[in-house]
Amino acid sequence: MYFAALLARTEDGWEASDTELDDVETLSDLTDLAREASADEDTVLVFIEQEDAWFGVIRVDGEDDPRIFVSDATAAARSSYGEILLTDELLGREPGADDTIAALEELVGLDGTEDGEPDTTPDNDHDDNDDDDAPDADAVPAGPLGDTAILADLGLPEAELLMLRTDALGEIADALGAAEVLETVR
């Protein structure tokens, strides 16, 4: 089960609203949703939480690029909403690398032969040149990922953010002085 909310910083304090992510397919969609929540281009935080598995915080300050923190990248990668946050940039991948790999796999079959070309590779069950311990380029790192200082200037230091586990969004809202407004949308 997911919970998603927007916290918009205003001159009167924080304003919270729950949000539906049904129409959100990309980080850009999520960023646009956050920007719409702020009339004066103030700071907007988007909270996404999958019950007891992971949480993510996206910070949008005006027209700046969004800043992202994910508590457990491996768990988030198994979630459709988590995948939105795990951008190539956040994962340290070359942008569009997945598209390039998919296009190459279409040209060359997975067995390494071009379409219509016979497979002439020997049928060995064990190849001494295989390195089973080599890191997978598509692997998502375990644990926290992203901008750990995302909330430091708002009252939640990096070390405290990294220690959050259960009711993380409640603790974040409490540190920001927004616990009551977040609770109204829970």
Side-chain angles (χ1 to χ4, degrees):
M1 180 149 122
Y2 289 96
F3 170 72
L6 294 170
L7 273 182
R9 190 175 190 183
T10 68
E11 56 188 47
D12 298 327
W14 291 97
E15 292 180 7
S17 59
D18 61 343
T19 186
E20 286 294 321
L21 299 177
D22 294 340
D23 296 330
V24 174
E25 295 180 7
T26 66
L27 180 59
S28 184
D29 294 342
L30 193 57
T31 303
D32 291 344
L33 185 69
R35 287 190 177 118
E36 290 169 10
S38 174
D40 298 326
E41 295 189 0
D42 291 321
T43 299
V44 178
L45 302 175
V46 181
F47 292 152
I48 302 174
E49 178 180 55
Q50 183 179 6
E51 194 172 275
D52 295 329
W54 66 276
F55 69 90
V57 179
I58 301 89
R59 178 176 176 167
V60 178
D61 294 301
E63 291 299 316
D64 292 347
D65 287 341
R67 296 167 59 189
I68 303 167
F69 174 79
V70 177
S71 67
D72 186 336
T74 305
R78 293 186 295 264
S79 155
S80 59
Y81 296 126
E83 286 180 337
I84 292 171
L85 306 181
L86 299 175
T87 63
D88 287 338
E89 183 180 341
L90 192 66
L91 293 169
R93 295 181 187 155
E94 193 68 35
D98 289 340
D99 297 336
T100 303
I101 291 169
L104 289 173
E105 286 176 349
E106 275 186 37
L107 292 175
V108 178
L110 292 177
D111 61 0
T113 63
E114 291 187 28
D115 288 341
E117 186 178 301
D119 183 5
T120 58
T121 50
D123 201 14
N124 294 337
D125 288 340
H126 181 72
D127 187 356
D128 292 331
N129 294 331
D130 282 351
D131 188 1
D132 292 335
D133 296 329
D136 182 1
D138 291 334
V140 174
L145 187 64
D147 186 349
T148 57
I150 191 169
L151 302 170
D153 65 322
L154 299 175
L156 188 69
E158 293 178 52
E160 288 181 35
L161 178 64
L162 291 170
M163 291 188 309
L164 295 177
R165 294 291 175 251
T166 58
D167 192 33
L169 299 185
E171 290 185 43
I172 291 170
D174 190 41
L176 302 178
E180 287 181 25
V181 293
L182 181 64
E183 215 37 57
T184 62
V185 297
R186 271 198 177 216

